[in-house]
Amino acid sequence: MSATSLKVRERLQDLVLSTEQALEIKNKLNHEIERGLGKDTHATSSVKCFITYVQDLPNSKERGKFLALDLGGTNFRVLLITLAEGAHFHMDSKIYAVPKDIMTGPGTGLFDHIADCLADFMKEYDVYKEKLPLGFTFSFPCVQEGLTKARLSTWTKGFNCEGVENNDVVKLLKEAIARRGDVQIDVMAVLNDTTGTLMSCAYKKHNCRVGLIVGTGSNACYVEKLENVQLWDGPTEGVPDQVIINTEWGAFGDNDVLENIRTEYDRTIDRESINPGKQLFEKMISGMYMGELVRLVLVKLIREGLIFGGKSSDMIQEKGRFYTKYVSEIESDKQGEYHSCLQVLEELGLGGVATETDMADVRTVCELVSRRAAHLTSAGVACLLDRMGEKDVTVAVDGSVYRFHPHFHHLMMDKISELIDPSIKFDLMLSEDGSGRGAALVAAVACRDR
Ligand code: BGC
C-alpha cells in the first residue's frame, strides 16, 4: 500500500475486511445458499439460487449460424456466431446503446428497442430473411420455468422498466418482434451471463464448475448436486444428477445478514440508488458502484479536512462523477508514481490542490475499496468451492472490474487460497465473451438435442 497519512488510514479502518470476517461471510453465504435451495426457506433467503435448466455441455459437434442477444451489462449487444468444424467459430457483433429513458421507461419500449436493434443487425449482416436460432442472455434475477421461459423477479443495475417484473422475458421479446412483423427468430434458450460464462469456458476446460461476473453487477453460478436442490420439481429419473444454479448472490445481505460489515458509504450508496434495500452485496463489489464508493469516501475526508487541505471542487461533489475506471487507472500507477492519479484529479478540478501525500491518500482509498470488493468476491467463490468439494476446479470469470482492474485477479487468487479447504486446487480463468458466445453455445446445444 502507498505512503499514505496515518490519520486517513485510521479513519478508513471500517473498509478493511479481516480474514475472520471473510470466513464469517463465507459461512453466512453458505447458509443462505442452503436456504435458497430449500423448498420452505427459499422465500426468505436473500440468495435465491435459481435453477437454470442449462444442462448439456457443448461437445464441439455443434454447427451452424446462431444469433445471440446480450442485455444486462453496460451495453446491449447483438451477435451472429457461426460454429464450424473442430470447435472453430466466427463471430460478428454490434453494440447498441440503451438510452437512460428506455432503461427506466415502460417494458414495451425496452423490448421494442431490442427488436429494432436485432432487425438492424440482421439487415447489416445479411440474415434478415433467415429464421435463425437465438440465445438470449438476460442478466437479471429470473425464476426459470424451462430453458425458454424466465420470469424476471426484480430489476437490478439501474434498469427499472414497468411491466416486466413477474413476466416471461422471452414472451415479451417475441411479442416485440411480432409487433415489427418483419424478422423471424427461433428462441432456443434464455440464460444469465454467469451461465454463459461457465458454458463458454467449459467448452475448453472440462473442470469448469463456476461462472463468475464482476462487472456492472456481480453474481455467480455453480454446479450443484441435484439431491441438494429441494426446489427441483422436475423428474428425478433420467435427468443429469447435477444442475447449474444461478445463485444471484448480488442480493446477499438483503435480509440484514451483512449489517456488521456495511459502512456509512454503503448505506449512502444504497439510499441513493434506484433500488434501495436490494442487491446489498453487489453494491459493495461491482463496477456500477465502485467509483461512487471511492467518491463518497473522498468527500468525507475533504469534509473532515484530512485531504486536499479541506478544499473541494464542484465535480468531486457530483454524484457518479468519479468513474469506476479511475480506480483501475489510479492503481495502475507504479508504487510512488502518480501519473494517472494526477490526471484524474485534474479532470475533477483538484489537480492544483493535491500534494503528493494527497495523491497517496487517493490511491489508498481506491485500494481499500477495490480490495474489499476482491475479498468479498473471494469469500463467495471460496464458499462455492468448499460446497462442491471437488478437488480441481476452474472458475470462469468475466466482467469489466475483473478484466480491467490491475490487481483484482491476484487479490482474489491469494484470498481464495487463504479461505478454502487447502486440499482443493482451483484456477480463475478469464472467459472471453461468455455472455455472447455462451448464449450461442447454449442455443446450439438446444438445437442439437432437439
Ligand atoms: C444480476 C445478475 C447478473 C449480475 C452480473 C446482477 O445485477 O442480478 O443476474 O448475473 O448482475 O451481470
Side-chain angles (χ1 to χ4, degrees):
M1 285 231 178
S2 357
T4 187
S5 50
L6 203 59
K7 264 204 183 141
V8 165
R9 197 169 284 282
E10 270 170 19
R11 192 71 190 85
L12 302 180
Q13 260 315 303
D14 53 350
L15 286 167
V16 178
L17 204 67
S18 67
T19 303
E20 292 66 46
Q21 283 172 316
L23 284 169
E24 192 189 317
I25 289 165
K26 175 186 157 200
N27 293 336
K28 279 187 183 166
L29 179 61
N30 192 38
H31 184 65
E32 287 294 290
I33 289 179
E34 268 173 9
R35 293 181 3 91
L37 294 170
K39 244 196 171 81
D40 301 334
T41 43
H42 174 79
T44 55
S45 172
S46 62
V47 182
K48 291 295 177 203
C49 290
F50 296 121
I51 296 166
T52 65
Y53 296 91
V54 172
Q55 271 161 348
D56 293 333
L57 288 173
N59 61 12
S60 317
K61 296 217 173 91
E62 297 75 18
R63 300 276 179 277
K65 280 192 272 186
F66 301 89
L67 286 165
L69 298 177
D70 176 15
L71 181 77
T74 323
N75 297 304
F76 166 60
R77 291 182 316 154
V78 185
L79 303 95
L80 175 65
I81 295 165
T82 311
L83 300 177
E85 203 74 30
H88 290 300
F89 72 97
H90 176 78
M91 185 164 100
D92 292 304
S93 71
K94 191 166 170 187
I95 292 177
Y96 294 88
V98 183
K100 230 193 169 98
D101 57 316
I102 290 192
M103 282 171 77
T104 51
T108 44
L110 173 69
F111 283 93
D112 283 342
H113 179 63
I114 295 177
D116 292 348
C117 297
L118 175 66
D120 169 83
F121 180 90
M122 290 175 78
K123 272 185 202 149
E124 189 170 331
Y125 287 91
D126 219 18
V127 289
Y128 186 66
K129 294 262 147 39
E130 296 181 45
K131 184 177 184 188
L132 293 178
L134 176 142
F136 183 15
T137 304
F138 182 78
S139 304
F140 299 94
C142 287
V143 180
Q144 289 216 215
E145 291 168 19
L147 196 52
T148 55
K149 190 163 180 189
R151 274 178 209 283
L152 175 67
S153 77
T154 178
W155 283 114
T156 61
K157 295 180 287 198
F159 278 79
N160 195 9
C161 302
E162 218 192 294
V164 185
E165 284 176 358
N166 296 319
N167 285 300
D168 174 13
V169 296
V170 173
K171 182 163 168 272
L172 295 175
L173 173 67
K174 285 184 181 164
E175 285 171 357
I177 289 172
R179 275 197 291 280
R180 285 187 55 97
D182 53 353
V183 293
Q184 287 197 320
I185 50 156
D186 201 357
V187 181
M188 295 305 297
V190 56
L191 59 149
N192 188 260
D193 50 358
T194 53
T195 315
T197 299
L198 169 60
M199 291 295 277
S200 88
C201 177
Y203 197 42
K204 287 181 265 164
K205 282 264 177 191
H206 295 296
N207 68 343
C208 185
R209 294 285 179 281
V210 178
L212 167 69
I213 301 284
V214 196
T216 309
S218 178
N219 186 18
C221 72
Y222 74 106
V223 178
E224 180 61 275
K225 293 185 196 71
L226 192 59
E227 66 193 50
N228 292 338
V229 187
Q230 273 185 24
L231 279 182
W232 177 261
D233 55 10
T236 43
E237 302 273 312
V239 287
D241 54 358
Q242 295 187 321
V243 280
I244 300 177
I245 296 293
N246 169 17
T247 65
E248 285 295 337
W249 78 19
F252 180 34
D254 291 7
N255 56 355
D256 291 350
V257 294
L258 292 177
E259 287 317 293
N260 60 331
I261 58 156
R262 290 179 70 230
T263 64
E264 56 178 284
Y265 320 108
D266 299 308
R267 291 179 213 286
T268 308
I269 289 266
D270 180 47
R271 205 173 43 243
E272 294 188 353
S273 68
I274 71 168
N275 54 350
K278 290 186 176 163
Q279 301 293 108
L280 298 185
F281 193 54
E282 169 166 278
K283 284 173 180 161
M284 300 172 86
I285 292 173
S286 74
M288 178 147 177
Y289 310 97
M290 189 181 278
E292 180 64 2
L293 275 172
V294 170
R295 192 190 71 83
L296 290 171
V297 178
L298 291 176
V299 166
K300 164 116 181 171
L301 295 176
I302 292 174
R303 209 180 315 124
E304 295 186 355
L306 291 171
I307 193 168
F308 309 134
K311 293 190 195 70
S312 186
S313 72
D314 289 347
M315 276 173 283
I316 194 76
Q317 296 294 337
E318 195 187 308
K319 183 178 168 192
R321 189 59 185 76
F322 195 104
Y323 308 132
T324 295
K325 69 170 186 178
Y326 289 167
V327 179
S328 294
E329 287 169 10
I330 290 172
E331 290 193 56
S332 295
D333 277 335
K334 285 205 199 104
Q335 282 296 336
E337 282 180 18
Y338 300 103
H339 178 73
S340 304
C341 188
L342 186 58
Q343 207 168 327
V344 167
L345 293 177
E346 272 164 4
E347 275 180 42
L348 294 171
L350 291 162
V353 299
T355 64
E356 190 150 330
T357 310
D358 288 332
M359 290 193 283
D361 288 343
V362 170
R363 183 180 173 129
T364 299
V365 175
C366 293
E367 284 172 349
L368 286 168
V369 171
S370 63
R371 237 162 221 267
R372 187 183 68 153
H375 290 171
L376 290 168
T377 314
S378 302
V381 172
C383 164
L384 300 181
L385 291 175
D386 274 7
R387 253 196 93 69
M388 292 185 300
E390 291 194 25
K391 288 301 163 210
D392 189 4
V393 174
T394 297
V395 177
V397 199
D398 204 353
S400 47
V401 172
Y402 178 80
R403 244 169 216 273
F404 301 124
H405 187 280
H407 312 300
F408 216 82
H409 172 84
H410 297 291
L411 288 167
M412 282 190 65
M413 287 300 291
D414 290 350
K415 196 42 115 185
I416 296 171
S417 312
E418 205 180 316
L419 300 176
I420 47 168
D421 169 348
S423 68
I424 294 177
K425 253 180 68 192
F426 75 98
D427 199 10
L428 302 178
M429 193 176 126
L430 180 68
S431 176
E432 293 282 350
D433 197 24
S435 38
R437 198 160 43 127
L441 282 172
V442 174
V445 173
C447 286
R448 185 194 77 198
D449 295 349
R450 179 148 66 171

PDB file of all heavy atoms in Angstrom, residues 11-27:
ATOM      1  N   ARG A  11      -8.881   6.490   9.793  1.00  0.00           N
ATOM      2  CA  ARG A  11     -10.266   6.898   9.553  1.00  0.00           C
ATOM      3  C   ARG A  11     -11.009   5.859   8.707  1.00  0.00           C
ATOM      4  O   ARG A  11     -12.234   5.770   8.752  1.00  0.00           O
ATOM      5  CB  ARG A  11     -10.224   8.253   8.820  1.00  0.00           C
ATOM      6  CG  ARG A  11     -11.526   8.958   8.727  1.00  0.00           C
ATOM      7  CD  ARG A  11     -11.911   9.468  10.108  1.00  0.00           C
ATOM      8  NE  ARG A  11     -13.262   9.963  10.138  1.00  0.00           N
ATOM      9  CZ  ARG A  11     -14.324   9.194  10.331  1.00  0.00           C
ATOM     10  NH1 ARG A  11     -14.177   7.893  10.496  1.00  0.00           N
ATOM     11  NH2 ARG A  11     -15.530   9.722  10.360  1.00  0.00           N
ATOM     12  N   LEU A  12     -10.226   5.090   7.904  1.00  0.00           N
ATOM     13  CA  LEU A  12     -10.880   4.195   6.937  1.00  0.00           C
ATOM     14  C   LEU A  12     -10.824   2.721   7.341  1.00  0.00           C
ATOM     15  O   LEU A  12     -11.067   1.838   6.519  1.00  0.00           O
ATOM     16  CB  LEU A  12     -10.246   4.395   5.552  1.00  0.00           C
ATOM     17  CG  LEU A  12     -10.329   5.832   5.019  1.00  0.00           C
ATOM     18  CD1 LEU A  12      -9.688   5.935   3.652  1.00  0.00           C
ATOM     19  CD2 LEU A  12     -11.779   6.315   4.959  1.00  0.00           C
ATOM     20  N   GLN A  13     -10.530   2.481   8.608  1.00  0.00           N
ATOM     21  CA  GLN A  13     -10.425   1.105   9.098  1.00  0.00           C
ATOM     22  C   GLN A  13     -11.657   0.253   8.778  1.00  0.00           C
ATOM     23  O   GLN A  13     -11.562  -0.947   8.552  1.00  0.00           O
ATOM     24  CB  GLN A  13     -10.207   1.106  10.625  1.00  0.00           C
ATOM     25  CG  GLN A  13      -8.771   0.913  11.046  1.00  0.00           C
ATOM     26  CD  GLN A  13      -8.065  -0.189  10.284  1.00  0.00           C
ATOM     27  OE1 GLN A  13      -8.499  -1.329  10.266  1.00  0.00           O
ATOM     28  NE2 GLN A  13      -6.954   0.143   9.634  1.00  0.00           N
ATOM     29  N   ASP A  14     -12.815   0.883   8.771  1.00  0.00           N
ATOM     30  CA  ASP A  14     -14.030   0.078   8.580  1.00  0.00           C
ATOM     31  C   ASP A  14     -14.151  -0.486   7.167  1.00  0.00           C
ATOM     32  O   ASP A  14     -15.022  -1.321   6.895  1.00  0.00           O
ATOM     33  CB  ASP A  14     -15.303   0.858   8.979  1.00  0.00           C
ATOM     34  CG  ASP A  14     -15.413   2.206   8.301  1.00  0.00           C
ATOM     35  OD1 ASP A  14     -14.422   2.635   7.655  1.00  0.00           O
ATOM     36  OD2 ASP A  14     -16.485   2.829   8.393  1.00  0.00           O
ATOM     37  N   LEU A  15     -13.242  -0.049   6.253  1.00  0.00           N
ATOM     38  CA  LEU A  15     -13.275  -0.626   4.903  1.00  0.00           C
ATOM     39  C   LEU A  15     -12.380  -1.864   4.792  1.00  0.00           C
ATOM     40  O   LEU A  15     -12.288  -2.481   3.740  1.00  0.00           O
ATOM     41  CB  LEU A  15     -12.829   0.418   3.876  1.00  0.00           C
ATOM     42  CG  LEU A  15     -13.839   1.530   3.571  1.00  0.00           C
ATOM     43  CD1 LEU A  15     -13.178   2.661   2.789  1.00  0.00           C
ATOM     44  CD2 LEU A  15     -15.033   0.982   2.791  1.00  0.00           C
ATOM     45  N   VAL A  16     -11.687  -2.182   5.881  1.00  0.00           N
ATOM     46  CA  VAL A  16     -10.788  -3.341   5.842  1.00  0.00           C
ATOM     47  C   VAL A  16     -11.532  -4.577   6.352  1.00  0.00           C
ATOM     48  O   VAL A  16     -12.156  -4.545   7.410  1.00  0.00           O
ATOM     49  CB  VAL A  16      -9.540  -3.101   6.731  1.00  0.00           C
ATOM     50  CG1 VAL A  16      -8.626  -4.319   6.732  1.00  0.00           C
ATOM     51  CG2 VAL A  16      -8.797  -1.865   6.261  1.00  0.00           C
ATOM     52  N   LEU A  17     -11.455  -5.643   5.551  1.00  0.00           N
ATOM     53  CA  LEU A  17     -12.145  -6.875   5.932  1.00  0.00           C
ATOM     54  C   LEU A  17     -11.106  -7.856   6.487  1.00  0.00           C
ATOM     55  O   LEU A  17     -10.167  -8.209   5.779  1.00  0.00           O
ATOM     56  CB  LEU A  17     -12.763  -7.450   4.658  1.00  0.00           C
ATOM     57  CG  LEU A  17     -13.945  -8.370   4.758  1.00  0.00           C
ATOM     58  CD1 LEU A  17     -15.157  -7.609   5.267  1.00  0.00           C
ATOM     59  CD2 LEU A  17     -14.247  -8.935   3.372  1.00  0.00           C
ATOM     60  N   SER A  18     -11.256  -8.260   7.726  1.00  0.00           N
ATOM     61  CA  SER A  18     -10.274  -9.191   8.285  1.00  0.00           C
ATOM     62  C   SER A  18     -10.538 -10.599   7.758  1.00  0.00           C
ATOM     63  O   SER A  18     -11.623 -10.883   7.232  1.00  0.00           O
ATOM     64  CB  SER A  18     -10.382  -9.201   9.813  1.00  0.00           C
ATOM     65  OG  SER A  18     -11.624  -9.767  10.181  1.00  0.00           O
ATOM     66  N   THR A  19      -9.550 -11.477   7.926  1.00  0.00           N
ATOM     67  CA  THR A  19      -9.743 -12.867   7.475  1.00  0.00           C
ATOM     68  C   THR A  19     -10.905 -13.504   8.226  1.00  0.00           C
ATOM     69  O   THR A  19     -11.696 -14.240   7.643  1.00  0.00           O
ATOM     70  CB  THR A  19      -8.445 -13.671   7.704  1.00  0.00           C
ATOM     71  OG1 THR A  19      -7.410 -13.004   7.000  1.00  0.00           O
ATOM     72  CG2 THR A  19      -8.560 -15.089   7.180  1.00  0.00           C
ATOM     73  N   GLU A  20     -11.012 -13.184   9.519  1.00  0.00           N
ATOM     74  CA  GLU A  20     -12.131 -13.752  10.306  1.00  0.00           C
ATOM     75  C   GLU A  20     -13.460 -13.307   9.713  1.00  0.00           C
ATOM     76  O   GLU A  20     -14.392 -14.096   9.579  1.00  0.00           O
ATOM     77  CB  GLU A  20     -12.085 -13.286  11.776  1.00  0.00           C
ATOM     78  CG  GLU A  20     -10.924 -13.832  12.594  1.00  0.00           C
ATOM     79  CD  GLU A  20      -9.572 -13.303  12.106  1.00  0.00           C
ATOM     80  OE1 GLU A  20      -9.446 -12.081  11.858  1.00  0.00           O
ATOM     81  OE2 GLU A  20      -8.638 -14.117  11.944  1.00  0.00           O
ATOM     82  N   GLN A  21     -13.515 -12.024   9.352  1.00  0.00           N
ATOM     83  CA  GLN A  21     -14.781 -11.526   8.770  1.00  0.00           C
ATOM     84  C   GLN A  21     -15.061 -12.195   7.424  1.00  0.00           C
ATOM     85  O   GLN A  21     -16.202 -12.550   7.129  1.00  0.00           O
ATOM     86  CB  GLN A  21     -14.714 -10.002   8.584  1.00  0.00           C
ATOM     87  CG  GLN A  21     -14.914  -9.236   9.877  1.00  0.00           C
ATOM     88  CD  GLN A  21     -14.658  -7.754   9.673  1.00  0.00           C
ATOM     89  OE1 GLN A  21     -13.683  -7.354   9.026  1.00  0.00           O
ATOM     90  NE2 GLN A  21     -15.519  -6.927  10.227  1.00  0.00           N
ATOM     91  N   ALA A  22     -13.997 -12.382   6.637  1.00  0.00           N
ATOM     92  CA  ALA A  22     -14.187 -13.034   5.329  1.00  0.00           C
ATOM     93  C   ALA A  22     -14.702 -14.464   5.525  1.00  0.00           C
ATOM     94  O   ALA A  22     -15.596 -14.924   4.803  1.00  0.00           O
ATOM     95  CB  ALA A  22     -12.880 -13.018   4.545  1.00  0.00           C
ATOM     96  N   LEU A  23     -14.151 -15.146   6.522  1.00  0.00           N
ATOM     97  CA  LEU A  23     -14.600 -16.522   6.793  1.00  0.00           C
ATOM     98  C   LEU A  23     -16.061 -16.535   7.252  1.00  0.00           C
ATOM     99  O   LEU A  23     -16.843 -17.407   6.884  1.00  0.00           O
ATOM    100  CB  LEU A  23     -13.709 -17.176   7.853  1.00  0.00           C
ATOM    101  CG  LEU A  23     -12.336 -17.631   7.344  1.00  0.00           C
ATOM    102  CD1 LEU A  23     -11.435 -18.012   8.515  1.00  0.00           C
ATOM    103  CD2 LEU A  23     -12.470 -18.790   6.356  1.00  0.00           C
ATOM    104  N   GLU A  24     -16.392 -15.538   8.041  1.00  0.00           N
ATOM    105  CA  GLU A  24     -17.767 -15.441   8.527  1.00  0.00           C
ATOM    106  C   GLU A  24     -18.730 -15.220   7.345  1.00  0.00           C
ATOM    107  O   GLU A  24     -19.811 -15.824   7.275  1.00  0.00           O
ATOM    108  CB  GLU A  24     -17.838 -14.273   9.509  1.00  0.00           C
ATOM    109  CG  GLU A  24     -19.104 -14.211  10.309  1.00  0.00           C
ATOM    110  CD  GLU A  24     -19.194 -12.902  11.090  1.00  0.00           C
ATOM    111  OE1 GLU A  24     -18.172 -12.474  11.671  1.00  0.00           O
ATOM    112  OE2 GLU A  24     -20.279 -12.305  11.079  1.00  0.00           O
ATOM    113  N   ILE A  25     -18.304 -14.374   6.403  1.00  0.00           N
ATOM    114  CA  ILE A  25     -19.144 -14.107   5.226  1.00  0.00           C
ATOM    115  C   ILE A  25     -19.308 -15.381   4.404  1.00  0.00           C
ATOM    116  O   ILE A  25     -20.403 -15.715   3.941  1.00  0.00           O
ATOM    117  CB  ILE A  25     -18.515 -12.982   4.377  1.00  0.00           C
ATOM    118  CG1 ILE A  25     -18.659 -11.666   5.126  1.00  0.00           C
ATOM    119  CG2 ILE A  25     -19.167 -12.884   3.007  1.00  0.00           C
ATOM    120  CD1 ILE A  25     -17.803 -10.573   4.604  1.00  0.00           C
ATOM    121  N   LYS A  26     -18.200 -16.102   4.270  1.00  0.00           N
ATOM    122  CA  LYS A  26     -18.249 -17.365   3.518  1.00  0.00           C
ATOM    123  C   LYS A  26     -19.292 -18.302   4.156  1.00  0.00           C
ATOM    124  O   LYS A  26     -20.115 -18.899   3.458  1.00  0.00           O
ATOM    125  CB  LYS A  26     -16.844 -17.973   3.556  1.00  0.00           C
ATOM    126  CG  LYS A  26     -16.729 -19.328   2.943  1.00  0.00           C
ATOM    127  CD  LYS A  26     -15.325 -19.881   3.170  1.00  0.00           C
ATOM    128  CE  LYS A  26     -15.352 -21.377   3.076  1.00  0.00           C
ATOM    129  NZ  LYS A  26     -14.210 -22.026   3.703  1.00  0.00           N
ATOM    130  N   ASN A  27     -19.255 -18.410   5.466  1.00  0.00           N
ATOM    131  CA  ASN A  27     -20.201 -19.311   6.151  1.00  0.00           C
ATOM    132  C   ASN A  27     -21.640 -18.822   6.050  1.00  0.00           C
ATOM    133  O   ASN A  27     -22.561 -19.613   5.849  1.00  0.00           O
ATOM    134  CB  ASN A  27     -19.819 -19.468   7.628  1.00  0.00           C
ATOM    135  CG  ASN A  27     -18.501 -20.211   7.757  1.00  0.00           C
ATOM    136  OD1 ASN A  27     -18.121 -20.957   6.855  1.00  0.00           O
ATOM    137  ND2 ASN A  27     -17.773 -19.977   8.842  1.00  0.00           N
TER     138      ASN A  27
END
